[in-house]
C-alpha cells in the first residue's frame, strides 16, 4: 500500500509538469507572432515603397508633359506668322521629331480639322479631315490640351498633346500637336518601363476614363478597368497606398499618385506573394531547425496528456451511462493512478449504487401521469416504438370526456380531478394487463391495444362507453365519453399517423352527437 501511494502523484504536480512541457508551444507561438510582425512590416514597407515610386514617376511624367507643352508652345509661336509657308511647317514638324524625341508623330491641324503637315511624312494621312472627339474638343477649346486616347486615321491608338496657333493679329489658325502612340514604344514607356521587375511588380497609367494608357503588356493598353478601388482613387486626384485585388484576381500592394497636368494616374504595384516570398523562405528555415525539438516536445505533451486524461475519460464515459448494468464493472476496471482520479472513482462507485436504486423509482414516476397514475406521453411513445420495432399490430382508442368543461365550471376543478381519477380506475378495470392506458392531456386518454383488430377494439370501446354511462361517478348523475378508433398497420404505415386518425375519428364522434364510438374511415 505504501509503494502504491508513493507513486500516485497529485494533480497539482501533473499540471506543473504539463506547463513546463508547453514551453515548446510557447516557442511556436513566438515564431508565429514574429512572422506576423515581420509580414506586416514587409507589407507596409512595400506599400510605402510603391507609393514613393508612383509619386516619383508622377513627377517625372508631369515634368515630361510640361516640357512637351512648352516645346509645342514655343514652336506654335514660331509658326504664327509662317503658317502659310509649307517649308516653315515642314521645318517645324521635322525639327520637333528629330530634336525632342518626345513624340511618336507631330502634326499641324488647321481650324477645320484638316492635317496640313505631319511628321514622319510616311504616314498616309496628309490632307485628311479629322473628325474624332479629341480633335473637335481641341478646336473648340483653343487652348493647350492633352487628349483622351483615340484611334487616329492611320489606325494608331494615341494621346495628343496640343497647343493652339494664333496669328500675330490674334486669329485662331489651328493647333500644333505631338502624339504618343500608346501601343508602340514611346517616351512614356521609356520613362515607366525602367521600373518593371521580374518578381511581378509593374507600373501602369490610367486616364480619367479608367483606361490603361501605359502597361508593360502592350496588349492591355486601351483596356478599361472599371472595378478597382485604387484606380477609382487615383483618377479622383487622390494619392496613397492600398492592398487590393486587381482586375486579374491577384492580391497586390499598390501605391498611387495623380498626374494633374493630364488627369492621369500612376499606379506602382507588387504582388503580396512576391513580397512575402523571402520571409516565407526564412521562416521555413527557422521552422526546419526547430522542428526536431518541437516534435519531441509535442510527443511528450501528447503522452502525458493521454496518461493523465485516460482514467478521467473512462470515468466520464461511465458517468454518461450510469443506468447501464455494467457501469459498476467498468468503473472498477479504470486504472486511477493519481490521487484526484482515484478519489473521483471512489465517489462514482458510491454514487452509482445510489443511482441504480433511485433510477427504477424515477423511471416509473417519469412514465406516469401524477393525477391518475396512468401512463403519460413518454410511456405512450415508448410503447408505440416497441410495437413498431417488433412489428406488432395494435389498435388505438382516443377517449375524451364529454362536456368536461361544464363539470369543472359547475363543480370546480377538484371535483373534475376526482372524476378523472375515477374514470382512470374504471378504464383500468375494463382492459387487459398488456393494454396501455395513457392520459394524453386534460380529459383526453389514449388506449393502445396490442394484437387487437378494429372489430375486437370496437367491442371493448363500446363496453367501456356503456360502463361509464350506466355507472355514475359521484357527485355526477351521469358521465358520457366519446371514442375514436384506428388500427396499425392496417390504416397507415407510420404508427404515429394512427394516433392522428384515432383523434379524427374522436372528433367525428363529437360532431355526431357525443357519447358514441367512431371508426377511422380510410380514404
Amino acid at each position: 500500500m505504501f509503494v502504491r501511494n508513493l507513486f500516485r502523484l497529485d494533480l497539482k504536480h501533473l499540471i506543473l509538469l504539463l506547463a513546463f512541457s508547453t514551453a515548446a508551444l510557447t516557442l511556436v507561438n513566438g515564431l508565429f507572432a514574429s512572422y506576423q510582425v515581420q509580414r506586416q512590416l514587409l507589407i507596409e514597407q512595400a506599400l510605402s515603397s510603391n507609393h514613393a515610386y508612383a509619386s516619383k514617376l508622377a513627377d517625372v511624367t508631369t515634368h515630361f508633359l510640361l516640357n512637351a507643352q512648352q516645346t509645342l508652345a514655343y514652336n506654335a509661336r514660331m509658326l504664327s506668322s509662317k503658317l502659310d509657308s509649307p517649308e516653315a511647317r515642314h521645318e517645324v514638324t521635322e525639327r520637333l521629331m528629330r530634336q525632342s524625341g518626345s513624340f511618336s508623330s507631330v502634326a499641324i491641324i488647321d481650324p477645320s480639322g484638316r492635317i496640313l503637315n505631319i511628321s514622319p511624312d510616311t504616314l498616309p494621312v496628309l490632307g485628311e479631315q479629322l473628325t474624332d472627339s479629341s480633335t473637335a474638343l481641341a478646336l473648340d477649346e483653343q487652348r493647350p490640351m492633352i487628349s483622351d486616347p483615340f484611334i487616329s486615321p492611320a489606325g494608331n491608338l494615341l494621346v495628343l498633346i496640343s497647343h493652339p496657333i494664333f496669328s500675330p493679329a490674334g486669329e485662331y489658325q489651328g493647333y500644333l500637336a505631338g502624339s504618343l502612340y500608346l501601343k508602340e514604344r514611346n517616351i512614356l514607356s521609356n520613362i515607366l518601363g525602367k521600373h518593371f521587375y521580374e518578381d511581378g511588380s509593374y507600373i501602369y497609367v490610367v486616364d480619367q476614363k479608367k483606361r490603361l494608357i501605359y502597361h508593360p503588356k502592350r496588349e492591355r493598353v486601351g483596356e478599361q478597368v472599371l472595378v478597382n478601388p485604387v484606380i477609382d482613387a487615383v483618377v479622383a486626384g487622390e494619392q496613397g497606398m492600398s492592398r487590393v485585388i486587381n482586375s486579374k484576381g491577384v492580391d497586390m500592394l499598390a501605391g498611387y499618385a495623380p498626374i494633374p497636368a493630364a488627369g492621369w494616374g500612376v499606379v506602382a504595384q507588387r504582388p503580396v506573394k512576391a513580397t512575402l516570398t523571402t520571409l516565407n523562405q526564412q521562416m521555413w528555415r527557422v521552422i526546419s531547425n526547430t522542428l526536431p525539438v518541437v516534435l519531441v516536445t509535442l510527443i511528450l505533451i501528447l503522452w502525458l496528456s493521454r496518461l493523465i486524461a485516460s482514467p478521467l475519460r473512462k470515468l466520464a464515459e461511465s458517468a454518461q451511462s450510469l443506468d447501464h448494468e455494467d457501469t459498476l464493472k467498468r468503473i472498477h476496471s479504470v486504472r486511477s493512478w493519481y490521487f484526484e482520479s482515484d478519489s473521483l472513482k471512489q465517489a462514482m462507485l458510491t454514487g452509482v449504487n445510489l443511482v441504480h436504486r433511485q433510477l427504477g423509482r424515477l423511471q416509473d414516476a417519469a412514465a406516469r401521469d401524477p393525477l391518475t397514475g396512468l401512463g403519460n406521453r413518454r410511456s405512450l411513445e415508448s410503447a408505440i416504438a416497441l410495437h413498431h420495432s417488433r412489428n406488432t399490430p395494435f389498435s388505438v382508442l382516443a377517449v375524451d370526456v364529454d362536456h368536461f368543461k361544464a363539470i369543472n365550471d359547475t363543480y370546480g376543478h377538484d371535483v373534475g380531478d376526482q372524476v378523472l381519477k375515477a374514470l382512470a380506475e374504471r378504464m383500468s378495470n375494463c382492459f387487459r394487463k398488456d393494454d396501455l392506458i395513457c392520459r394524453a392531456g386534460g380529459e383526453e386518454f389514449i388506449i393502445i391495444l396490442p394484437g387487437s383488430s378494429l372489430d375486437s377494439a370496437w367491442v371493448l370501446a363500446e363496453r367501456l362507453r356503456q360502463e361509464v354511462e350506466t355507472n355514475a361517478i359521484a357527485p355526477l348523475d351521469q358521465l358520457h365519453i366519446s371514442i375514436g378508433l384506428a388500427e396499425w398497420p392496417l390504416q397507415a404505415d407510420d404508427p404515429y399517423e394512427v394516433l392522428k386518425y384515432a383523434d379524427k375519428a374522436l372528433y367525428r364522434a363529437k360532431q355526431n352527437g357525443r357519447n358514441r364510438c367512431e371508426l377511422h374511415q380510410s380514404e
Side-chain angles (χ1 to χ4, degrees), residues 384 387-388 392-396 448-452 486-489 495 498-499:
I384 291 175
H387 296 328
H388 184 229
T392 303
F394 61 86
S395 293
V396 178
I448 302 295
L449 307 177
S452 293
E487 181 183 357
W488 180 83
V498 174
L499 296 180

Side-chain angles (χ1 to χ4, degrees), residues 454-520:
L454 277 178
D455 292 338
S456 58
W458 176 269
V459 173
L460 292 172
E462 275 294 326
R463 186 172 68 184
L464 173 63
R465 185 189 64 77
Q466 293 171 8
E467 170 71 19
V468 173
E469 181 181 18
T470 55
N471 295 282
I473 298 177
L476 306 180
D477 294 332
Q478 196 172 42
L479 183 69
H480 294 153
I481 60 174
S482 297
I483 304 175
L485 295 88
E487 181 183 357
W488 180 83
L490 178 65
Q491 295 178 319
D493 293 332
D494 186 349
Y496 293 96
E497 283 294 314
V498 174
L499 296 180
K500 297 179 182 179
Y501 293 161
D503 195 58
K504 288 181 180 179
L506 171 63
Y507 181 74
R508 191 164 60 253
K510 295 284 190 180
Q511 287 183 319
N512 292 337
R514 296 184 172 86
N515 190 26
R516 61 187 292 118
C517 300
E518 289 284 349
L519 295 174
H520 171 68

Side-chain angles (χ1 to χ4, degrees), residues 349-412:
L349 289 172
T350 303
V352 168
N353 287 320
L354 293 174
V355 167
H356 282 180
R357 284 196 296 268
Q358 294 289 339
L359 199 56
R361 293 194 292 268
L362 290 174
Q363 285 176 342
D364 184 66
R368 292 198 173 275
D369 174 54
L371 176 65
T372 63
L374 299 177
N376 59 14
R377 283 280 182 184
R378 180 177 296 177
S379 61
L380 175 64
E381 292 175 358
S382 298
I384 291 175
L386 178 63
H387 296 328
H388 184 229
S389 65
R390 295 179 177 178
N391 203 26
T392 303
F394 61 86
S395 293
V396 178
L397 276 62
V399 182
D400 189 83
V401 180
D402 294 336
H403 302 296
F404 186 74
K405 183 177 184 301
I407 296 173
N408 280 333
D409 293 343
T410 303
Y411 299 99

Side-chain angles (χ1 to χ4, degrees), residues 216-455:
K217 296 180 179 179
R218 293 185 184 178
E219 66 271 14
R220 295 196 62 188
V221 173
E223 177 184 330
Q224 192 174 31
V225 182
L226 298 177
V227 184
N228 189 314
V230 166
I231 292 178
D232 294 341
V234 77
V235 299
E238 300 175 13
Q239 64 172 320
M241 48 192 171
S242 177
R243 184 171 178 175
V244 64
I245 304 297
N246 69 7
S247 59
K248 301 301 181 183
V250 180
D251 193 0
M252 289 289 190
L253 302 173
Y256 51 92
I259 304 173
W264 300 346
V266 179
V267 179
Q269 62 183 17
R270 187 184 189 192
V272 173
K273 183 178 180 180
T275 303
L276 301 178
T277 297
T278 302
L279 175 61
N280 292 336
Q281 292 173 347
Q282 291 176 347
M283 291 305 298
W284 276 118
R285 283 196 291 269
V286 172
I287 291 172
S288 64
N289 291 332
T290 58
L291 189 59
V293 176
V294 172
L295 287 176
V296 170
T297 304
L298 289 176
I299 291 171
L300 178 62
I301 292 175
L302 178 62
W303 179 74
L304 286 174
S305 298
R306 292 186 63 180
L307 194 62
I308 295 170
S310 178
L312 294 178
R313 185 184 68 252
K314 292 177 180 178
L315 291 173
E317 290 172 351
S318 300
Q320 295 175 2
S321 56
L322 294 180
D323 57 333
H324 289 185
E325 296 180 357
D326 64 339
T327 299
L328 282 172
K329 181 179 179 181
R330 286 191 284 113
I331 293 176
H332 275 295
S333 67
V334 175
R335 181 174 174 269
S336 299
W337 58 275
Y338 56 92
F339 176 78
E340 286 78 8
S341 67
D342 186 62
S343 298
L344 181 61
K345 174 182 175 180
Q346 299 304 321
M348 285 186 66
L349 289 172
T350 303
V352 168
N353 287 320
L354 293 174
V355 167
H356 282 180
R357 284 196 296 268
Q358 294 289 339
L359 199 56
R361 293 194 292 268
L362 290 174
Q363 285 176 342
D364 184 66
R368 292 198 173 275
D369 174 54
L371 176 65
T372 63
L374 299 177
N376 59 14
R377 283 280 182 184
R378 180 177 296 177
S379 61
L380 175 64
E381 292 175 358
S382 298
I384 291 175
L386 178 63
H387 296 328
H388 184 229
S389 65
R390 295 179 177 178
N391 203 26
T392 303
F394 61 86
S395 293
V396 178
L397 276 62
V399 182
D400 189 83
V401 180
D402 294 336
H403 302 296
F404 186 74
K405 183 177 184 301
I407 296 173
N408 280 333
D409 293 343
T410 303
Y411 299 99
H413 288 278
D414 289 341
V415 171
D417 288 347
Q418 292 176 14
V419 170
L420 291 177
K421 288 192 285 185
L423 177 60
E425 183 178 354
R426 196 157 293 179
M427 285 190 294
S428 298
N429 295 331
C430 287
F431 292 95
R432 301 168 302 180
K433 182 179 179 181
D434 293 337
D435 298 334
L436 176 67
I437 307 172
C438 299
R439 184 185 177 196
E443 70 277 17
E444 185 177 347
F445 300 84
I446 298 292
I447 304 173
I448 302 295
L449 307 177
S452 293
S453 66
L454 277 178
D455 292 338

Side-chain angles (χ1 to χ4, degrees), residues 22-69:
T22 55
L25 294 178
T26 303
L27 175 61
V28 172
N29 182 65
L31 289 173
F32 178 75
S34 174
Y35 174 80
Q36 291 296 323
V37 170
Q38 294 183 54
R39 180 179 183 273
Q40 188 60 34
L41 284 174
L42 281 175
I43 289 175
E44 291 175 358
Q45 289 174 0
L47 287 169
S48 179
S49 176
N50 287 337
H51 179 217
Y53 268 127
S55 298
K56 177 181 177 182
L57 294 175
D59 291 340
V60 172
T61 305
T62 298
H63 182 69
F64 156 71
L65 293 173
L66 293 177
N67 282 345
Q69 288 180 321

